[in-house]
Amino acid sequence: MKKIGIVGGTGYTGVELMRLLAHHPEVEVVAMTSRGEAGRRVDDLYPSLRGHTDLVFSEPGEADLAGCDLVFFATPNGIAMQEAPALLEQGVRVIDLAADYRLKDLDVWSRWYGMEHASPDWVEQAVYGLPELYRDEIRGAQLVANPGCHVTATTLAVLPLMGLDWVDHGRIVADTKSGASGAGRSAAVHTLMAEAGESVRTYAAAGHRHQPEIRQTLTTIAEREIGLTFVPHLVPMVRGIESTVYLPLVGEPGENVQRLYERYYAEEPFVDVMPPNSHPETRSVRGNNICRMAVHRPLDGPMLVVSSVIDNLVKGAAGQAVQNMNLMLGCDESAGLELVALSP
Amino acid sequence: MKKIGIVGGTGYTGVELMRLLAHHPEVEVVAMTSRGEAGRRVDDLYPSLRGHTDLVFSEPGEADLAGCDLVFFATPNGIAMQEAPALLEQGVRVIDLAADYRLKDLDVWSRWYGMEHASPDWVEQAVYGLPELYRDEIRGAQLVANPGCHVTATTLAVLPLMGLDWVDHGRIVADTKSGASGAGRSAAVHTLMAEAGESVRTYAAAGHRHQPEIRQTLTTIAEREIGLTFVPHLVPMVRGIESTVYLPLVGEPGENVQRLYERYYAEEPFVDVMPPNSHPETRSVRGNNICRMAVHRPLDGPMLVVSSVIDNLVKGAAGQAVQNMNLMLGCDESAGLELVALSP
Amino acid sequence: MKKIGIVGGTGYTGVELMRLLAHHPEVEVVAMTSRGEAGRRVDDLYPSLRGHTDLVFSEPGEADLAGCDLVFFATPNGIAMQEAPALLEQGVRVIDLAADYRLKDLDVWSRWYGMEHASPDWVEQAVYGLPELYRDEIRGAQLVANPGCHVTATTLAVLPLMGLDWVDHGRIVADTKSGASGAGRSAAVHTLMAEAGESVRTYAAAGHRHQPEIRQTLTTIAEREIGLTFVPHLVPMVRGIESTVYLPLVGEPGENVQRLYERYYAEEPFVDVMPPNSHPETRSVRGNNICRMAVHRPLDGPMLVVSSVIDNLVKGAAGQAVQNMNLMLGCDESAGLELVALSP
Amino acid sequence: MKKIGIVGGTGYTGVELMRLLAHHPEVEVVAMTSRGEAGRRVDDLYPSLRGHTDLVFSEPGEADLAGCDLVFFATPNGIAMQEAPALLEQGVRVIDLAADYRLKDLDVWSRWYGMEHASPDWVEQAVYGLPELYRDEIRGAQLVANPGCHVTATTLAVLPLMGLDWVDHGRIVADTKSGASGAGRSAAVHTLMAEAGESVRTYAAAGHRHQPEIRQTLTTIAEREIGLTFVPHLVPMVRGIESTVYLPLVGEPGENVQRLYERYYAEEPFVDVMPPNSHPETRSVRGNNICRMAVHRPLDGPMLVVSSVIDNLVKGAAGQAVQNMNLMLGCDESAGLELVALSP
């Protein structure tokens, strides 16, 4: 069994990693750190894990992370950039579920995250953890930057169209709807049940950190400038993200778009292009690592609409991280991830 | 007291009309018809009305609707076009909350609603019941076509920009999110709690009946062709619609857009342009007739984003109908509609 | 217009008082204090109030509360007992929505609330603000202790049976289900949408502060010892409390229980005894001050079951406070409270 | 691989059986029947199963159910009693997830289910499928009656106390709260999102079919008369049941109740007695087959309170059915059921 450590395991990505790895045949979580909960049993904080683990949260300094084959950072932004390098230098492989190593342009990163980067050299070496694009690089990577949740749903929705001349790359709109677990397990007023229940609200309409992250990938793949308007919305549910992406056409599609999508993702274990006229719903991926999507051309007009759904805590966070781990450790890419979605 | 009748009062718009009119100082509901519930007390079906009404549902043929000053049709599409003309010809004024008289182009109407129109002459005479545009015509109208819910949120969001040369009218995107009450009170599988709870789904991505309705109004006001992509989403809540509208710029705005909006709606009792950097939430209008909106220009780029929220059963249906009734009957436009939203 | 002050207006009872008083014909809120939000417009914190108030939160020390006819304390437990006496001594009338003056036995109070009482003399003078029991005393009271939310639903459900010999007063069970707004607008983990959504949980099963409060009233009215087991549950909604109370019979009821209830509450403006075989739902009282209830005797066995519902923020807090205010100020008892519930 | 058939697979228990059996190493679903959906791919109706099955719904008469090792009836009440005997007589083993074979007293059954029983002989032979009580009988059974969902949560909560002299068996109260999926996937008004969302309601307070089912088991185990008041409530969520059971004490407990529970269930793979002072939440068992429970004695008074939670579709239906299947087919009892709950 490969040894796995989790830094900052009290949040939702931490418990979700535990859930997925409990099903994994080749790895074992040997350490889970938390400043606030050190000494407490993990399954006391998360009763859903009762019977599946005997782990106790340990102080960050006291866990033997250096003895792990791979360490997940399930920490807030700004922690991994400080703490991961020490492990990386000892040869430990690291997957950061936060944003520290996602953006290659450090100026852009600093502007959006409001701090100086503490380990810029590692930014350069980090591989962006979207297996559908960078599978081979991930296999050999020492440091993987796990993509954001809105980002994953949106990027996968439009990848097959990038670089095609009949798509207007300058006026792409992505409108996402996400559940409250995306805001994490931190005491806050605006994500209280009494605030977020029975209501929808737009947020960060003037600009959100995930915009430059999506744009970075699309620009690289399309090899041209990308104009992207991205507006997220909070909807009253716990899990799930739906991204509806609007792409103007600047000519007739060179081929059947449905078939283009099906071919593009034919070999992908975790992308499901649904049949024509489908409407994905987030519950169809609740708890599993699939991104389901459907392509429409409303009223045969000059706009393509792609709707994609993921579970923000799985393909949008912990599941994609496990997928990356599988690639890095030479396990079957789907190990631990073959769960059927919980529906209804 | 003016006498009011409601045809088809068992649905959500029916009970909502009753709720609002219970607060109204100048009108009285004297008849509420229902084929299925005739003979049953209205407050037996809707216990929320206990203590506010003694009405009993009557058979459509037996109610004295001709004796009413005004009759609301809260019926499914296709009923008012058959039953309203008899009342109209007797001089009764009518507000149809369904779609029968909304579209002026009968071919378009037939295509979207799948039937021949039964009273095309009245289509021509009907006034579209958006008071912000047609207040004077509504005052004198005998027949008012109450707008759709997605339509109201979306149309109000973009009206101030229509006809301006620096707005691209050909690539407008409207992405709406609505609660389950919009689907009405009919036994159905897809809007069961167990189907629609804890999930988001796109629907009608290939084309929805509200698209031509929005387009009709915008084309008229802008006096140019409108290209509109409209995609609705069902989110797990009971009431509320949020519409996020994306309008590409084709030049620098000729004036401050925030001020433009504030000026445009300065005199409107039921439109609230929120301050810069606001993010409307549907709960802020729960139960009242306000449409709140905020305008953004993300990252100072070439796209305007307007987010508007309404209560789909109030400003999106019964409340707007009462507003129209007030205009038609010469009451204060806000009578019965001055409720504060229920938040949280 | 009578002048009203609200101390601690940033919580849900504060905004709810504002909502209800906006409809009130005889009073005006002239001051709303908040340490944390002083200087901020009230409608900036609560956009639902936009258009209904120009108030700005003021520093507690700076508001002219002494000039008010009546002041509501919408503060956490332990504040009113310190700050209300100064106002009371100047002749201002006070309604405390927290628990400071609810329990007459100071030892019991201290045990449950974990502090010494700061103004025990005023405890004695305080009138318990349940109008259905203490209407006359409330009229003349200077200080009213507004009942708790679970307490109101449960107490009203069983009042008609108290003191009857065929009811076992020693084995009463009350099982309540409440929405998340009952926990207030404070940053906390356990009431996050992601924690409380899509889940039910029991809390305080070993004992909850509302137990002695219910017991105090029932003991007084029944004039005998009360054995009460009270267990609250958190359910995934924003507003509403349902209390199911189980009362064993120790003999055949001396009269028809349905008629007993109807007679007991016949004159009450805010208690609705529903017809036989009814099942109250919380949405039937959403946003209004009614307590609806139904009485059952399952399988004609030796147990009475009463199910009662209230809106925890209205009849369970701000609405009942306004009802008390109306009595104290000589207004119509229903002034500002005649709203129809928002259903669906 | 053992061959499994599912009769009536379009409901929630059908899809849930598919989800669980997709993870099962020793069985294969070879037929799924549906009158209404015959010819349609199963994963077209349930996109959550895409990638996990190629099954097509077949006409009831056309599937080779007789060739199966075991057939699940996931049909409405009244179907299995007509259709199962033909299979049983051919030696096929059957698990009925409906109520047809649960009650041994046919008069009681007819009274609650409103029909005559069509195969009374098989009622006698049927084994009640609660493995915690009847594990050995289930192993050898040809026909198993899978328990109801409220029943499972409630029965397991009180089993350890049955027959003890210090427990009053005559005044047991069970108050359950369940999500909307318990009502099944049938078009209905009262379980629409717009009806059941943001609201709690009691139902069947005068008597519910699950009461005699619970009572039958408790009477058998306790070997004395059981007085049980059972009142179910619908809460606004999709999955989960919480049962709070109140048991009066008629003397001091003969031993520590916590330890009694822990000992009673020590060997059970799917019952989790939580530590003292715990409060189970339904999300802690979402998607898995565990029943978690906690025991309290409020204020050290004369009442025991047990709160137990299950996923109504898993331990309350399909999961328990798979557990029974495992026993009947000689598989590991936990095969296919070792999933970690989905929390948050």
Side-chain angles (χ1 to χ4, degrees):
Chain A
M1 299 289 270
K2 300 279 172 51
K3 290 182 183 165
I4 304 296
I6 301 175
V7 177
T10 59
Y12 294 141
T13 49
V15 64
E16 194 67 358
L17 282 169
M18 287 297 290
R19 181 179 74 92
L20 297 170
L21 296 178
H23 297 300
H24 199 290
E26 295 179 59
V27 308
E28 185 186 10
V29 179
V30 297
M32 204 157 179
T33 73
S34 162
R35 250 173 260 281
E37 302 286 354
R40 186 174 178 187
R41 282 182 65 97
V42 170
D43 65 2
D44 183 54
L45 184 64
Y46 286 112
S48 57
L49 295 172
R50 285 172 61 85
H52 293 279
T53 183
D54 289 314
L55 267 185
V56 171
F57 287 110
S58 50
E59 285 287 351
E62 290 171 11
D64 179 21
L65 297 173
C68 291
D69 294 282
L70 187 145
V71 170
F72 292 101
F73 276 78
T75 42
N77 297 322
I79 304 295
M81 72 179 183
Q82 293 177 6
E83 300 185 4
L87 291 172
L88 290 163
E89 279 149 27
Q90 293 174 80
V92 179
R93 302 176 84 176
V94 167
I95 297 174
D96 178 26
L97 284 86
D100 294 13
Y101 298 105
R102 291 180 191 158
L103 296 183
K104 293 300 181 187
D105 185 324
L106 290 172
D107 289 341
V108 173
W109 191 87
S110 289
R111 204 175 322 133
W112 284 99
Y113 292 91
M115 36 188 159
E116 285 301 296
H117 206 288
S119 49
D121 292 354
W122 281 104
V123 172
E124 210 172 321
Q125 295 186 48
V127 173
Y128 190 68
L130 196 68
E132 290 77 10
L133 275 183
Y134 302 114
R135 184 167 279 117
D136 289 341
E137 294 86 335
I138 292 165
R139 282 201 179 94
Q142 201 190 344
L143 170 61
V144 163
N146 213 56
C149 52
H150 297 275
V151 176
T152 297
T154 304
T155 304
L156 292 176
V158 301
L159 271 187
L161 299 173
M162 289 301 95
L164 299 175
D165 286 337
W166 39 272
V167 172
D168 180 353
H169 290 65
R171 294 287 169 90
I172 302 173
V173 167
D175 185 296
T176 64
K177 302 91 188 164
S178 72
S181 63
R185 190 179 161 279
S186 304
V189 169
H190 71 292
T191 46
L192 289 177
M193 178 88 197
E195 296 285 309
E198 261 294 301
S199 194
V200 170
R201 68 164 170 265
T202 303
Y203 62 98
H208 184 280
R209 294 162 171 184
H210 282 181
Q211 196 268 4
E213 189 181 335
I214 301 168
R215 219 167 69 89
Q216 170 180 280
T217 302
L218 301 190
T219 305
T220 307
I221 302 306
E223 296 182 325
R224 64 190 77 185
E225 263 310 291
I226 298 293
L228 169 69
T229 303
F230 163 66
V231 179
H233 300 76
L234 180 64
V235 300
M237 62 185 190
V238 178
R239 281 183 183 236
I241 289 187
E242 193 274 343
S243 179
T244 305
V245 194
Y246 301 84
L247 301 108
L249 293 170
V250 289
E252 270 308 295
E255 71 167 300
N256 180 292
V257 180
Q258 174 75 24
R259 278 199 294 273
L260 168 65
Y261 268 72
E262 290 176 357
R263 198 185 59 238
Y264 188 94
Y265 285 125
E267 304 300 320
E268 284 302 331
F270 295 113
V271 180
D272 175 25
V273 178
M274 298 183 74
N277 302 315
S278 294
H279 291 95
E281 42 190 354
T282 58
R283 65 179 190 144
S284 77
V285 296
R286 179 160 46 222
N288 81 6
N289 198 48
I290 305 283
C291 175
R292 291 194 211 280
M293 61 182 67
V295 193
H296 292 264
R297 186 177 172 184
L299 307 176
D300 292 323
M303 188 76 79
L304 291 179
V305 175
V306 190
S307 169
S308 83
V309 295
I310 60 170
D311 184 319
N312 58 307
L313 296 180
V314 191
K315 185 63 176 171
Q320 185 144 268
V322 169
Q323 189 179 354
N324 284 322
M325 177 200 78
N326 286 338
L327 291 167
M328 294 165 82
L329 299 183
C331 307
D332 184 285
E333 188 172 339
S334 300
L337 297 172
E338 287 166 327
L339 304 167
V340 182
L342 201 66
S343 175
Chain B
M1 299 288 272
K2 301 279 172 48
K3 289 182 184 166
I4 305 297
I6 301 175
V7 177
T10 59
Y12 295 141
T13 50
V15 63
E16 194 67 357
L17 282 168
M18 288 297 290
R19 181 179 75 91
L20 297 170
L21 297 178
H23 298 299
H24 198 290
E26 296 178 59
V27 309
E28 184 187 9
V29 180
V30 298
M32 204 157 179
T33 73
S34 162
R35 250 173 258 283
E37 302 287 354
R40 185 175 178 186
R41 283 183 63 96
V42 171
D43 65 2
D44 183 55
L45 185 64
Y46 286 113
S48 56
L49 295 172
R50 284 173 60 85
H52 294 278
T53 183
D54 288 315
L55 268 185
V56 170
F57 287 110
S58 51
E59 286 285 353
E62 292 171 12
D64 179 21
L65 297 173
C68 290
D69 295 281
L70 188 146
V71 170
F72 293 101
F73 276 79
T75 42
N77 297 322
I79 304 295
M81 70 179 185
Q82 293 177 6
E83 302 185 4
L87 291 171
L88 290 163
E89 278 149 28
Q90 293 174 79
V92 179
R93 302 176 84 177
V94 168
I95 298 176
D96 178 26
L97 285 86
D100 293 14
Y101 298 104
R102 290 180 193 159
L103 296 183
K104 294 299 181 190
D105 184 324
L106 290 171
D107 290 340
V108 172
W109 191 86
S110 290
R111 203 174 323 132
W112 285 99
Y113 291 92
M115 35 188 160
E116 284 303 295
H117 206 289
S119 49
D121 292 351
W122 281 106
V123 172
E124 211 173 320
Q125 295 186 47
V127 174
Y128 190 69
L130 196 67
E132 291 76 9
L133 275 183
Y134 302 113
R135 183 167 280 115
D136 288 341
E137 295 86 334
I138 293 165
R139 281 202 179 93
Q142 200 189 346
L143 170 60
V144 163
N146 213 56
C149 51
H150 297 277
V151 176
T152 298
T154 303
T155 304
L156 291 176
V158 301
L159 270 187
L161 299 174
M162 289 301 92
L164 298 176
D165 285 337
W166 39 272
V167 172
D168 180 352
H169 290 65
R171 296 285 168 90
I172 302 174
V173 167
D175 184 296
T176 63
K177 300 92 189 166
S178 72
S181 63
R185 191 179 161 278
S186 305
V189 169
H190 70 291
T191 46
L192 290 176
M193 177 88 197
E195 297 286 308
E198 262 292 302
S199 194
V200 170
R201 67 164 171 264
T202 304
Y203 63 98
H208 184 280
R209 295 162 169 184
H210 282 181
Q211 196 268 3
E213 188 181 337
I214 301 167
R215 220 166 68 88
Q216 170 180 279
T217 303
L218 301 190
T219 305
T220 308
I221 302 307
E223 297 182 325
R224 65 191 76 185
E225 264 309 291
I226 298 292
L228 169 70
T229 303
F230 163 66
V231 179
H233 301 76
L234 180 65
V235 299
M237 63 186 190
V238 177
R239 281 180 183 240
I241 288 188
E242 193 275 343
S243 180
T244 305
V245 194
Y246 302 84
L247 301 109
L249 292 171
V250 288
E252 271 309 294
E255 71 167 298
N256 179 293
V257 181
Q258 173 75 25
R259 279 199 293 272
L260 168 66
Y261 268 72
E262 289 174 359
R263 198 185 58 237
Y264 189 95
Y265 285 125
E267 303 302 318
E268 285 302 332
F270 294 114
V271 180
D272 175 26
V273 178
M274 298 183 74
N277 301 315
S278 294
H279 292 94
E281 42 189 354
T282 59
R283 65 178 189 148
S284 77
V285 296
R286 179 160 45 222
N288 83 5
N289 199 47
I290 306 282
C291 175
R292 291 194 210 282
M293 61 183 67
V295 193
H296 291 264
R297 185 175 174 186
L299 307 176
D300 292 321
M303 187 77 78
L304 290 179
V305 175
V306 190
S307 168
S308 83
V309 295
I310 60 170
D311 184 320
N312 58 306
L313 296 179
V314 191
K315 185 63 176 169
Q320 186 144 265
V322 170
Q323 189 180 355
N324 285 321
M325 178 200 79
N326 286 337
L327 291 167
M328 293 164 82
L329 299 183
C331 306
D332 184 285
E333 188 172 340
S334 300
L337 297 172
E338 286 166 327
L339 304 166
V340 183
L342 200 67
S343 175
Chain C
M1 299 287 272
K2 300 280 173 46
K3 290 183 183 166
I4 304 297
I6 301 175
V7 177
T10 60
Y12 295 141
T13 51
V15 64
E16 195 67 359
L17 282 169
M18 288 297 290
R19 180 178 76 89
L20 297 170
L21 296 179
H23 298 299
H24 198 289
E26 296 178 58
V27 308
E28 184 187 10
V29 179
V30 297
M32 204 157 179
T33 72
S34 162
R35 249 173 259 283
E37 302 286 353
R40 185 175 178 185
R41 281 182 66 95
V42 170
D43 65 1
D44 183 55
L45 184 64
Y46 286 112
S48 57
L49 295 173
R50 284 173 60 85
H52 294 280
T53 183
D54 288 315
L55 268 185
V56 170
F57 287 111
S58 51
E59 286 286 352
E62 291 171 13
D64 179 21
L65 297 172
C68 290
D69 294 283
L70 187 146
V71 170
F72 293 101
F73 276 79
T75 42
N77 296 323
I79 304 294
M81 71 179 182
Q82 293 177 6
E83 301 185 4
L87 291 171
L88 290 164
E89 279 149 27
Q90 293 174 80
V92 179
R93 301 176 85 177
V94 167
I95 298 176
D96 178 26
L97 284 86
D100 294 15
Y101 297 105
R102 290 180 193 159
L103 296 183
K104 294 299 182 190
D105 184 325
L106 290 172
D107 289 341
V108 172
W109 192 87
S110 290
R111 204 175 323 133
W112 285 99
Y113 292 91
M115 35 189 159
E116 285 302 297
H117 206 288
S119 49
D121 292 353
W122 280 105
V123 172
E124 211 172 321
Q125 295 186 47
V127 173
Y128 190 68
L130 196 68
E132 290 76 9
L133 275 183
Y134 301 114
R135 183 167 281 115
D136 289 341
E137 294 87 333
I138 293 164
R139 282 202 178 94
Q142 201 189 344
L143 171 60
V144 163
N146 214 56
C149 51
H150 297 276
V151 176
T152 297
T154 303
T155 303
L156 291 176
V158 300
L159 269 188
L161 299 174
M162 289 302 93
L164 298 175
D165 286 337
W166 38 273
V167 172
D168 180 353
H169 289 65
R171 295 286 168 90
I172 303 173
V173 167
D175 184 296
T176 63
K177 300 91 187 165
S178 72
S181 62
R185 191 179 162 277
S186 304
V189 169
H190 70 291
T191 46
L192 289 177
M193 177 86 195
E195 297 285 309
E198 263 292 301
S199 194
V200 170
R201 66 163 170 265
T202 303
Y203 62 99
H208 184 280
R209 294 162 170 183
H210 282 180
Q211 197 267 4
E213 189 181 334
I214 301 168
R215 220 167 68 89
Q216 169 180 280
T217 302
L218 301 191
T219 305
T220 307
I221 301 307
E223 297 182 324
R224 64 190 77 184
E225 263 309 291
I226 298 291
L228 169 69
T229 303
F230 163 65
V231 179
H233 300 75
L234 180 65
V235 300
M237 62 186 190
V238 177
R239 282 182 184 237
I241 287 188
E242 193 273 345
S243 180
T244 305
V245 194
Y246 302 84
L247 301 107
L249 293 170
V250 288
E252 271 307 295
E255 72 168 296
N256 180 292
V257 181
Q258 173 76 24
R259 280 199 292 273
L260 168 66
Y261 268 73
E262 289 174 359
R263 199 185 58 237
Y264 189 95
Y265 286 125
E267 304 302 319
E268 284 302 331
F270 295 114
V271 180
D272 175 25
V273 178
M274 298 182 74
N277 301 316
S278 295
H279 292 94
E281 42 189 354
T282 58
R283 65 178 190 147
S284 78
V285 294
R286 180 161 44 222
N288 82 5
N289 198 48
I290 306 283
C291 175
R292 290 193 212 281
M293 61 182 68
V295 193
H296 292 263
R297 185 177 172 184
L299 307 176
D300 292 321
M303 187 76 79
L304 291 179
V305 175
V306 190
S307 168
S308 83
V309 294
I310 59 169
D311 184 320
N312 59 306
L313 296 180
V314 191
K315 185 63 174 169
Q320 185 144 267
V322 170
Q323 189 180 354
N324 284 321
M325 177 199 79
N326 286 337
L327 291 167
M328 293 164 82
L329 299 183
C331 305
D332 184 286
E333 187 172 340
S334 299
L337 298 172
E338 286 166 327
L339 304 166
V340 183
L342 200 68
S343 174
Chain D
M1 299 289 270
K2 300 280 172 49
K3 289 183 183 165
I4 304 297
I6 301 175
V7 177
T10 60
Y12 295 142
T13 50
V15 64
E16 195 67 358
L17 282 169
M18 288 297 290
R19 181 179 74 90
L20 296 170
L21 296 178
H23 298 299
H24 199 289
E26 295 179 58
V27 308
E28 185 186 10
V29 179
V30 298
M32 205 156 177
T33 72
S34 162
R35 250 172 259 282
E37 301 287 354
R40 184 175 179 187
R41 281 183 65 96
V42 171
D43 65 1
D44 183 54
L45 185 64
Y46 285 114
S48 57
L49 294 172
R50 284 172 60 84
H52 294 279
T53 183
D54 289 315
L55 268 185
V56 170
F57 287 111
S58 51
E59 285 287 352
E62 290 171 13
D64 179 21
L65 296 172
C68 290
D69 295 282
L70 188 145
V71 170
F72 293 101
F73 276 79
T75 42
N77 297 323
I79 304 295
M81 71 179 185
Q82 294 178 4
E83 301 185 5
L87 291 171
L88 289 163
E89 279 149 27
Q90 293 174 80
V92 179
R93 302 175 85 176
V94 167
I95 298 175
D96 177 26
L97 284 85
D100 294 14
Y101 297 106
R102 290 182 192 158
L103 296 182
K104 293 300 180 189
D105 186 325
L106 290 171
D107 289 340
V108 173
W109 190 87
S110 291
R111 203 174 324 133
W112 285 99
Y113 292 91
M115 36 188 158
E116 285 302 296
H117 206 288
S119 49
D121 292 353
W122 281 105
V123 172
E124 209 172 321
Q125 295 186 49
V127 174
Y128 190 68
L130 196 68
E132 290 76 11
L133 275 183
Y134 301 113
R135 183 167 281 116
D136 289 342
E137 294 87 334
I138 293 165
R139 281 201 179 95
Q142 202 190 342
L143 170 60
V144 163
N146 214 55
C149 51
H150 296 276
V151 176
T152 298
T154 303
T155 304
L156 291 176
V158 300
L159 270 188
L161 298 174
M162 289 300 94
L164 297 176
D165 286 336
W166 38 273
V167 172
D168 180 352
H169 290 66
R171 296 286 168 90
I172 303 173
V173 167
D175 185 297
T176 63
K177 300 91 188 166
S178 73
S181 63
R185 191 178 161 279
S186 304
V189 169
H190 71 291
T191 46
L192 289 177
M193 178 87 196
E195 296 285 309
E198 262 293 303
S199 194
V200 170
R201 68 164 169 264
T202 302
Y203 63 98
H208 185 281
R209 294 163 171 183
H210 282 180
Q211 196 267 4
E213 188 182 335
I214 302 168
R215 220 167 68 89
Q216 170 180 279
T217 302
L218 301 190
T219 305
T220 308
I221 301 307
E223 297 182 324
R224 64 190 77 186
E225 263 309 291
I226 298 292
L228 170 69
T229 303
F230 163 66
V231 179
H233 300 76
L234 181 64
V235 299
M237 62 185 190
V238 178
R239 282 182 183 236
I241 288 187
E242 193 275 342
S243 179
T244 305
V245 194
Y246 301 82
L247 301 109
L249 292 170
V250 287
E252 270 308 295
E255 70 167 300
N256 179 292
V257 180
Q258 174 75 25
R259 278 199 294 273
L260 169 66
Y261 268 73
E262 290 176 358
R263 198 184 60 237
Y264 189 94
Y265 285 125
E267 303 301 319
E268 284 302 330
F270 295 114
V271 180
D272 175 25
V273 178
M274 297 183 75
N277 301 315
S278 294
H279 291 96
E281 42 189 354
T282 58
R283 66 179 189 146
S284 78
V285 296
R286 178 159 48 219
N288 81 8
N289 198 48
I290 306 282
C291 175
R292 291 194 211 280
M293 61 182 67
V295 193
H296 291 263
R297 185 176 173 184
L299 307 176
D300 292 322
M303 188 75 79
L304 291 179
V305 175
V306 190
S307 168
S308 83
V309 294
I310 60 169
D311 184 320
N312 58 308
L313 295 180
V314 190
K315 185 63 176 171
Q320 186 145 268
V322 170
Q323 188 180 355
N324 284 322
M325 178 200 78
N326 285 337
L327 291 167
M328 293 164 82
L329 299 183
C331 306
D332 184 286
E333 187 171 341
S334 299
L337 298 172
E338 287 167 326
L339 303 167
V340 183
L342 201 66
S343 174

